[in-house]
Amino acid sequence: MAQASAADPAAIDPNVVPRPYPSRTEPLPKGRFTPSAEWLGGLMANKYSGVVANAMEVVELFDSHTTKLRVAVDWNDAGKAAGLPRNLCIKSNWSGLFGNVDIHALEARFYHFLTEKMTATTATCYYADWDDEGTGQGVIVLEDLIDRGGKFGHSTQHAGIDGVASGLADVAKLHAGLWDSPLITPEAAPWLPTSMDVPVDYDQVRIMWEWIEKNLDDPNFRAIAPKHYLDDPRRVERAYDRLVTFERNFQSPYCVILGDCHQGNTYILPNGERMWLDWQLGRRGHPWRDVTYFSVGSLTIEERRQSHRDLLAHYRDCLIKEGATNVIGLDEIWDQVRRWVMYGIQAWVANMDHWGQNGLPMNERFFTAGEDLGTWALLGE
């Protein structure tokens, strides 16, 4: 990696990245905030000269890790000439949760720097911005996907084996697009985290422990969790730490990964293709994090036991057909997947249903996979 210069803070701290629109002098709002037409128009004018939002209606408000607002906007002539649609979705950290991580600025950078270079289908982004003092605050203004006529995915949708095979072909398209690309090296994209090299990854269990403890008090959760985990919940922390070490030591081509690759972070277009949403955990990484999380989370326990290895072979074939080279063999992929089940375990034991995805079925799928595939033993537990 190139030597960092003391005069270049972005080369020292990847969280400090110059904002794209220097004309914005006020920091982005933090804490509880509901945009107004005046605020949105002023924000968009940093990119689109002369734009004014004459009026704005909040159509729908949804809080999970972040705030998402579907809005209908009456633009002035400059806004219409710029091609700004009436229906938009604004996303930022106004929910009051997770103010100490960089996921919001990262997603804005993803849309600003990278999505147009990817072959996978992504939502049209009309504005992406972030504060550049290292706080991690960011905002994106996207198309309202409902206008595309498709449907949002959900973690517990039953896709079936054929549906998961189709989804894995779309995952392969995502991964192959910038496979081993010079565009995602640390020198070319110092803002892009490497999987398991940033606290949001390697400290995820400790960051989320408050919610893990809440689930441990839930009798429905305890009914499906393995006894060895209930007897020693910190096992997940120790096993996950070993997965982090395993990933850091593994050498193979990098690609862009979604990082949080479950059905709930997809939009299914009318032609059946999955569009990938929520780039807050986007990474330079190896694909097995996404592949394991998507396949184990999308298959029923019976479907996984019947078809998982065949589906992984299908993904590998699709990846190579999309142009990826030096792809590891199926046996080595299987070895990766057996370990990466722990990523799904630690993610779902911290899930709160009011964030939008039903955790209990996902916990059962990942816990059972962990027992079936020997995940805990492979990771020293």
Side-chain angles (χ1 to χ4, degrees):
M1 183 181 298
Q3 185 69 32
S5 166
D8 181 10
I12 300 169
D13 183 354
N15 291 326
V16 180
V17 181
R19 64 184 184 274
Y21 305 108
S23 59
R24 179 178 64 80
T25 56
E26 293 294 318
L28 295 172
K30 298 179 178 65
R32 274 294 173 189
F33 175 74
T34 301
S36 65
E38 181 182 10
W39 178 86
L40 179 61
L43 184 76
M44 301 295 279
N46 290 304
K47 180 177 180 181
Y48 306 96
S49 178
V51 161
V52 174
N54 296 320
M56 185 187 80
E57 174 191 358
V58 176
V59 177
E60 186 175 15
L61 166 64
F62 180 72
D63 274 336
S64 56
H65 295 121
T66 52
T67 298
K68 293 171 280 289
L69 295 104
R70 294 179 56 230
V71 297
V73 187
D74 175 24
W75 297 106
N76 69 348
D77 289 343
K80 294 172 183 176
L84 297 178
R86 174 175 174 80
N87 299 324
L88 292 165
C89 179
I90 307 170
K91 184 177 181 183
S92 190
N93 180 22
W94 299 320
S95 69
L97 295 172
F98 306 106
N100 61 337
V101 294
D102 66 349
I103 58 178
H104 316 98
L106 175 64
E107 184 167 35
R109 291 166 192 158
F110 229 97
Y111 277 102
H112 181 76
F113 288 121
L114 208 56
T115 52
E116 290 186 355
K117 299 180 176 70
M118 296 164 58
T119 55
T121 303
T122 57
T124 301
C125 182
Y126 291 94
Y127 188 87
D129 201 355
W130 57 88
D131 287 340
D132 57 4
E133 79 288 36
T135 62
Q137 183 66 326
V139 63
I140 53 175
V141 181
L142 304 172
E143 64 175 307
D144 187 337
L145 286 170
I146 289 176
D147 291 346
R148 292 224 186 187
K151 60 183 180 180
F152 286 95
H154 191 276
S155 60
T156 54
Q157 283 173 347
H158 183 231
I161 293 172
D162 289 344
V164 173
S166 175
L168 285 171
D170 293 332
V171 176
K173 183 178 180 182
L174 164 65
H175 293 157
L178 290 173
W179 184 268
D180 207 17
S181 170
L183 297 175
I184 63 169
T185 63
E187 293 81 6
W191 59 270
L192 179 62
T194 298
S195 180
M196 297 305 194
D197 275 357
V198 290
V200 172
D201 283 359
Y202 64 73
D203 263 347
Q204 197 167 131
V205 174
R206 288 170 280 274
I207 290 170
M208 302 297 285
W209 194 256
E210 172 187 347
W211 292 277
I212 292 174
E213 288 187 317
K214 288 181 179 179
N215 280 326
L216 286 167
D217 289 334
D218 181 353
N220 295 315
F221 175 86
R222 297 183 68 86
I224 56 95
K227 184 178 183 301
H228 65 80
Y229 168 68
L230 296 175
D231 290 344
D232 181 9
R234 288 288 180 180
R235 295 192 81 190
V236 73
E237 182 179 349
R238 298 192 299 268
Y240 187 70
D241 284 347
R242 295 188 187 104
L243 175 65
V244 170
T245 300
F246 174 80
E247 168 65 1
R248 288 175 174 176
N249 291 332
F250 186 73
Q251 301 296 316
S252 72
Y254 281 118
C255 61
V256 167
I257 64 172
L258 186 65
D260 193 15
C261 193
H262 61 79
Q263 291 189 89
N265 283 335
T266 66
Y267 184 79
I268 305 169
L269 295 164
N271 67 0
E273 180 185 0
R274 287 186 186 267
M275 176 189 290
W276 303 103
L277 308 175
D278 197 345
W279 290 97
Q280 294 182 340
L281 294 181
R283 299 286 186 262
R284 170 195 308 111
H286 300 119
W288 321 117
R289 172 172 167 174
D290 280 356
V291 171
T292 307
Y293 202 48
F294 182 80
S295 59
V296 175
S298 302
L299 295 164
T300 68
I301 292 168
E302 293 74 20
E303 288 168 345
R304 176 184 54 76
R305 287 170 172 167
Q306 172 189 339
S307 300
H308 198 192
R309 191 176 173 99
D310 290 341
L311 286 166
L312 295 175
H314 166 69
Y315 163 82
R316 184 178 185 273
D317 289 344
C318 291
L319 187 64
I320 293 170
K321 288 176 183 176
E322 292 284 352
T325 57
N326 297 320
V327 180
I328 61 176
L330 183 58
D331 287 343
E332 197 169 2
I333 291 173
W334 186 247
D335 184 63
Q336 289 276 338
V337 167
R338 292 175 66 200
R339 286 174 167 82
W340 275 102
V341 167
M342 187 54 59
Y343 184 85
I345 290 174
Q346 64 83 36
W348 287 102
V349 297
N351 177 75
M352 296 283 104
D353 283 1
H354 65 263
W355 294 341
Q357 305 294 326
N358 298 338
L360 205 63
M362 304 297 283
N363 277 298
E364 188 169 24
R365 290 178 182 185
F366 278 98
F367 276 138
T368 305
E371 302 303 306
D372 287 350
L373 302 179
T375 301
W376 296 92
L378 277 172
L379 295 171
E381 289 293 324

